[in-house]
Amino acid sequence: MKRMLRRSTFILIFTLAFIIGISYFTVELVVNADKWVDQPYNDHIAVKGGLQNAGEIFDRSGTSLAKTVDKKRVYNSDESVRKALLHTVGDDSMNISTAVQSKLRSTLTGYSFIWGMNMPESSRTSRDITLTVDADTCKAAYDMLTSGFEEPKRGACVIYNYKTGEVICSVSTPGYDPADPPKITEENESEYEGVYLDNVLSSTYTPGSVFKLVTAAAAIENIPDIYQRTWYCSGSEEIGGHDIRCVDGEAHGEINLKQAMQESCNIVFAKLAVELGPEKMKAAADKMGINSSFNVDDTNTAKGHYNTDGADTNALAWSGVGQGIGEYEDKVNPMQMAFMCGAIANGGTAKGATCIKEAEGDTLRKIGFKKPGDNSLVKSDTARQLLDIMPEYSIGGLNVRAKTGTAEVGDNKKNNAWFVGCALDEDCPLAFACVVEDAGFGNAYARPVVEAALSAAAENLRGKM
């Protein structure tokens, strides 16, 4: 009798587990079918009637970015717009996995869980998608990156609304024209290295002096008399057995924290990192999202890197400057830096980013797309104090706080140029980050890109809200 009872109990447990497993699998299949269809390994969706029947993609102002005409995908008539939005819109292939035409292909093509790709044309739901980006703003950033200097530059520029989360500009170079994609072979692959990678979302770079915002935040929160302090900068000082130098060895003399931020003094921020110590520096970097990944329309950004475990005094000093040495080298992601600046402008909390324009009854939300959440990255009082010490700029009629960065990368390359910050205007609450590879000073290379794009963004928001 006991044996029969044990067998019955086992069979009951097995049956319940089987029913629960089947139920879970069924729910997952129904909820995530669209996402599975959009995976890169399902490229047959594109080949067998995919984008040949896809809906239209618009920018925030209604400008057509991509549409299907006579079974052929047609892109915007302006070559610069096409190239600028390559990594946001995508091309006919699924090589750019983070682009809308790759990750939302099921929505664009009217894929049905029941019918698959065989749903009758008359029964398909709306497949058009409106993005938050502004074509003119993206074009301005792209033109500056590719034509504004002595030679085209690799890099990234992102501008987003830290109140709503809407991405206004997202540009990554290098790229190509989606209307005339290159045939990449072993012979020319070096020429097109990195063209499928969206640097805004998926790349990390040495930050240089833009990281001083993190060091300053740590100092504000952990050194009670930070505003009564002054430091003497002679242009170069031995810290931890090796010299820390300011740019070109420039001596800043006796300066306080705000002056140190304005002059971007390496000596002061190196000393602050050493005084704060590895634990407090890493805690500040973690809090401000440096070692985190953020979600942008179900795409995770690349994680930055800040690690001080076991760092000697000199390595810790350089980490506070935004360089780092060897395994302690600092790394940040452009979107990540825009989030951080958005939080600083918005009382410590920034809205997560999206490239998909919000709309009532938006089908993308119904299939599981996350709405942008809030990112609390810094204390509100700390954010206020950071804004007070950041350099002020007037760009496109906007009241801007920003920080330049010039990051040494070695390998006989020129420095990477950075410009990150935020506009404090109520009608244009914009945060931005721009990095230009193998360029030089941030003020000479990254700032002009942001100026061009931010001016266009302000014109769009103020003229077309």
Side-chain angles (χ1 to χ4, degrees), residues 75-237:
Y75 297 90
N76 188 276
S77 59
D78 189 312
E79 182 178 348
S80 285
V81 170
R82 296 196 301 267
K83 292 180 176 179
L85 285 161
L86 169 67
H87 296 91
T88 301
V89 173
D91 63 359
D92 289 15
S93 74
M94 296 186 77
N95 290 322
I96 304 173
S97 61
T98 56
V100 168
Q101 290 191 157
S102 294
K103 64 184 181 182
L104 296 181
R105 189 158 296 212
S106 62
T107 301
L108 284 166
T109 56
Y111 172 83
S112 165
F113 173 70
I114 302 298
W115 292 89
M117 289 303 300
N118 297 313
M119 175 179 280
E121 189 73 24
S122 60
S123 301
R124 293 191 183 188
T125 57
S126 174
R127 300 157 295 164
D128 297 343
I129 295 176
T130 299
L131 304 182
T132 63
V133 295
D134 173 50
D136 291 337
T137 301
C138 294
K139 176 182 176 178
Y142 177 83
D143 284 347
M144 184 57 68
L145 277 167
T146 57
S147 305
F149 307 113
E150 64 277 7
E151 59 184 13
K153 296 295 183 183
R154 293 172 175 258
C157 181
V158 57
I159 301 172
Y160 96 111
N161 186 317
Y162 53 79
K163 297 284 190 182
T164 66
E166 293 183 334
V167 175
I168 309 299
C169 172
S170 184
V171 173
S172 175
T173 56
Y176 55 85
D177 188 346
D180 185 24
K183 294 181 179 180
I184 302 177
T185 64
E186 291 184 1
E187 287 73 25
N188 67 0
E189 62 181 354
S190 60
E191 179 184 350
Y192 294 103
E193 181 181 2
V195 294
Y196 297 140
L197 185 69
D198 185 347
N199 291 320
V200 169
L201 299 175
S202 304
S203 294
T204 60
Y205 302 88
T206 304
S209 291
V210 297
F211 190 84
K212 290 171 182 173
L213 294 170
V214 178
T215 306
I220 289 169
E221 294 182 358
N222 291 285
I223 302 177
D225 65 341
I226 189 66
Y227 291 111
Q228 284 71 54
R229 296 271 196 97
T230 60
W231 297 264
Y232 184 79
C233 168
S234 61
S236 177
E237 186 168 335

Side-chain angles (χ1 to χ4, degrees), residues 28 107 265 385:
E28 284 289 295
T107 301
C265 179
Q385 293 179 64

Side-chain angles (χ1 to χ4, degrees), residues 8 19 39 83 86 231 281 283 301 334 368 419 460:
S8 298
I19 293 173
Q39 295 302 310
K83 292 180 176 179
L86 169 67
W231 297 264
M281 281 296 299
T301 64
F419 194 61
N460 175 271

Side-chain angles (χ1 to χ4, degrees), residues 254-450:
E254 195 83 14
I255 54 175
N256 58 28
L257 180 64
K258 183 171 184 175
Q259 291 167 333
M261 180 66 78
Q262 302 280 324
E263 299 292 340
S264 200
C265 179
N266 289 347
I267 306 300
V268 171
F269 285 94
K271 286 183 173 181
L272 284 173
V274 172
E275 179 177 348
L276 288 162
E279 291 81 12
K280 290 178 179 178
M281 281 296 299
K282 187 173 185 300
D286 287 342
K287 173 65 175 174
M288 297 181 81
I290 299 301
N291 290 315
S292 299
S293 179
F294 296 89
N295 186 280
V296 181
D297 294 330
D298 284 2
T299 295
N300 291 324
T301 64
K303 289 183 179 181
H305 177 267
Y306 185 83
N307 176 38
T308 54
D309 296 339
D312 62 24
T313 301
N314 187 255
L316 180 59
W318 275 118
S319 78
V321 173
Q323 284 291 156
I325 300 173
E327 64 181 295
Y328 303 110
E329 183 179 12
D330 302 354
K331 292 286 187 179
V332 297
N333 166 260
M335 188 75 246
Q336 187 180 66
M337 294 304 292
F339 278 138
M340 188 181 77
C341 292
I344 292 171
N346 198 42
T349 301
K351 182 70 71 174
T354 178
C355 286
I356 310 301
K357 192 169 180 61
E358 296 275 5
E360 186 177 355
D362 190 343
T363 57
L364 298 176
R365 305 303 176 196
K366 292 179 181 178
I367 65 171
F369 249 61
K370 300 182 182 73
K371 290 186 178 181
D374 291 336
N375 298 285
S376 179
L377 302 182
V378 63
K379 293 179 181 178
S380 58
D381 190 54
T382 304
R384 178 187 58 78
Q385 293 179 64
L386 286 172
L387 288 176
D388 183 60
I389 65 174
M390 290 172 68
E392 300 180 24
Y393 298 85
S394 178
I395 300 175
L398 299 176
N399 179 16
V400 172
R401 301 291 186 277
K403 183 71 189 77
T404 59
T406 304
E408 298 178 8
V409 295
D411 296 329
N412 296 318
K413 292 183 178 180
K414 298 177 184 177
N415 298 329
N416 284 348
W418 279 93
F419 194 61
V420 306
C422 49
L424 305 183
D425 305 74
E426 287 295 325
D427 59 345
C428 293
L430 303 174
F432 57 84
C434 177
V435 59
V436 184
E437 299 180 38
D438 193 20
F441 291 112
N443 200 50
Y445 287 90
R447 179 179 167 182
V449 178
V450 171

Side-chain angles (χ1 to χ4, degrees), residues 25-41:
F25 175 79
T26 302
V27 170
E28 284 289 295
L29 178 62
V30 172
V31 171
N32 293 314
D34 298 83
K35 294 182 181 179
W36 291 339
V37 167
D38 290 333
Q39 295 302 310
Y41 47 72

